[in-house]
Amino acid sequence: MPDWTYQPLRPLANGVVGERRAQVWALGFLAWVISVPGGGGAVRRVFDHVEVPREWVGRFGASVPVGVAREAIRVLAVQGASVVEVGPVGAGDVEVVRDAARGRTCRVVARVADEAVAAALGDAVDEVVVGVAGGRVYLSEPGVANAVAALRDSDDVVLANPAVLIAAGPSWFNRVIEAAGESEARTPGLRDVSWDPRRWPGWFWGLLVGVGMIVAGVGAAAITLGPVLLWYDRDYLGTDLDGLHGINHHLVHFLQHDRITMAGNMIAIGCLYCGLAWGGMRRGHVWARNALLLSGLVGFPTLFYFLVIGFVEPLHVLAAAVLFPMFVLAVRHRPGPPSWERLPEGDERVRRRALVGQLVTVATGMGVIFGGIVISTVGLTKVFVPTDLTFLETDADTLKAANEHLLPFIAHDRAGFGGALIATGVAITLLGLWGWRRGAAWVWWSLCGAAVAGSVSALAIHFFIHYTAFIHLLPVYIGAALLVTALGLSRQYLLAHPRL
């Protein structure tokens, strides 16, 4: 379990099933996930675990009791431990430890009481220690700075006891490794970008993609609030605004509500992409490049919804044709060397509160993905939800009979919005999953910009046209409330300043 589920949900789990049982079940569940083929690699990739520094291999890990040795050896190796000490091991524990050490991916040390047990385990583990061994530092406090200092100041093996891991959470190893990382490179700026596009770095191309999305969103909003229909729209429909008013007096407002919501979402995506490029990729964060890559791989292919719908929107195609090559250039290479500033650990209460905000952010992103899938499905099939038809005071068959091109035209806006919403949800989820670090102000501002652009535009146009059905707007209310909550809980942590 990541810290953002472990810390916020631990009191609830302890209260429901008991503290000891919750710990054993959590460890057992993780061990099972890792035992599945590819499970360990999936955990490392999904939770963006960094590599253990070469000089720490075999020196940084944990000391665990025999009762959880099998699960701990599998789980902690994935979390960042390169050595696990099991002990004290008695004569009756030999077979348990031998079984636990099979298939290990980290160094296993057995701490035993006598030579007979040592002889029985000699060929099963990497090292056997009889009694109290020198050259070891046992950590009893979860402070990250203390662990880093112990590893840097000597060649001793540094082991966290179970109380440290229980208090700090599963990401403790990752936090220690990140805190010790060296970042000597200078963060590049706009002045470092060459005039030759062939030499532009990936982060600059990513920034252009984000700015392009914002410009496209503003343009779409301007068209929607102005002429509404462009020449190719009128040609496809075979009518103009007056003709649409003649079909249904709510129809033009309905089209505007779909398109303004879509435009707001495009601006939201642009805010997220600008943040990932400028705040993440520019500073060498590989995870930021991966987040941009995954979101774009979801978003750009939704252009081909037209194969189902039957209506091709020329400006949509033009925007994709301009932005997609930039996107490819942005993600084709890993970012440059790390150049971000690592802040020391702050108040643990602030971090715990921010972890709740992280949990809420990830949940919100997943909810946005689900909403986008639902809206895409509706747009590609039924086109309307019941509240749409109530607002329009008609049914789909009547609209189709009035103009056979009307439903595909509306479906394009609806399905396209759903596809863009999925891409937004992926970016929010991954930003929450990978970006939560003390002082990462750009993460907070990116999410804030996306929340304002997406929520305000959606609510404003719905209230402007008096399409205010509570059940229809409920997802927007929930999403906005969750993001405001997440930003409020994490504000002090993410906006921490190096001088404070």
Side-chain angles (χ1 to χ4, degrees), residues 283-301:
R283 292 185 171 94
H285 286 297
V286 176
W287 66 262
R289 174 258 189 186
N290 294 339
L292 178 63
L293 171 63
L294 292 173
S295 177
L297 287 179
V298 170
F300 280 106

Side-chain angles (χ1 to χ4, degrees), residues 342-353:
R342 294 172 173 86
L343 299 190
E345 291 286 303
D347 189 336
E348 180 63 13
R349 293 171 299 177
V350 173
R351 190 182 81 89
R352 296 283 180 93
R353 191 162 60 244

Side-chain angles (χ1 to χ4, degrees), residues 157-340:
V157 175
V158 178
L159 302 172
N161 66 29
V164 169
L165 302 181
I166 291 170
S171 298
W172 182 78
F173 292 104
N174 211 44
R175 289 165 53 208
V176 172
I177 295 169
E178 282 199 349
E182 297 292 337
S183 178
E184 299 178 354
R186 184 182 68 86
T187 302
L190 291 176
R191 291 183 178 181
D192 298 307
V193 178
S194 167
W195 288 101
D196 184 355
R198 294 173 298 178
R199 301 176 61 186
W200 286 355
W203 66 263
F204 188 70
W205 286 111
L207 185 63
L208 290 179
V209 173
V211 171
M213 291 296 297
I214 293 173
V215 171
V218 171
I223 293 171
T224 303
L225 295 176
V228 183
L229 300 179
L230 294 179
W231 73 94
Y232 55 78
D233 297 323
R234 294 190 293 269
D235 290 343
Y236 178 75
L237 292 171
T239 188
D240 55 15
L241 289 183
D242 292 334
L244 293 180
H245 280 301
I247 295 172
N248 185 289
H249 62 285
H250 293 300
L251 192 53
V252 173
H253 278 167
F254 185 81
L255 293 176
Q256 286 179 313
H257 115 275
D258 261 356
R259 293 189 166 191
I260 288 294
T261 307
M262 174 66 170
N265 188 69
M266 292 168 67
I267 296 172
I269 294 177
C271 291
L272 295 170
Y273 285 7
C274 284
L276 288 169
W278 179 260
M281 294 170 63
R282 184 174 65 97
R283 292 185 171 94
H285 286 297
V286 176
W287 66 262
R289 174 258 189 186
N290 294 339
L292 178 63
L293 171 63
L294 292 173
S295 177
L297 287 179
V298 170
F300 280 106
T302 60
L303 169 69
F304 296 99
Y305 279 171
F306 75 85
L307 296 175
V308 177
I309 295 168
F311 172 63
V312 179
E313 217 278 358
L315 276 185
H316 187 178
V317 175
L318 176 62
V322 171
L323 294 177
F324 184 71
M326 296 182 184
F327 167 75
V328 172
L329 292 170
V331 300
R332 63 175 178 167
H333 298 306
R334 290 169 64 92
S339 62
W340 61 86

Side-chain angles (χ1 to χ4, degrees), residues 10-18 21:
R10 183 162 62 118
L12 176 63
N14 291 348
V16 173
V17 301
R21 187 176 296 169

Side-chain angles (χ1 to χ4, degrees), residues 75-137:
V75 169
L76 299 184
V78 173
Q79 299 289 358
S82 59
V83 57
V84 175
E85 180 187 271
V86 181
V89 181
D93 302 322
V94 170
E95 288 304 317
V96 175
V97 175
R98 292 180 71 90
D99 177 66
R102 291 191 183 98
R104 60 189 179 275
T105 57
C106 67
R107 183 177 174 80
V108 174
V109 178
R111 180 163 45 86
V112 303
D114 56 63
E115 295 290 347
V117 178
L121 281 174
D123 62 341
V125 296
D126 298 291
E127 183 183 356
V128 178
V129 175
V130 181
V132 179
R136 278 171 166 69
V137 176

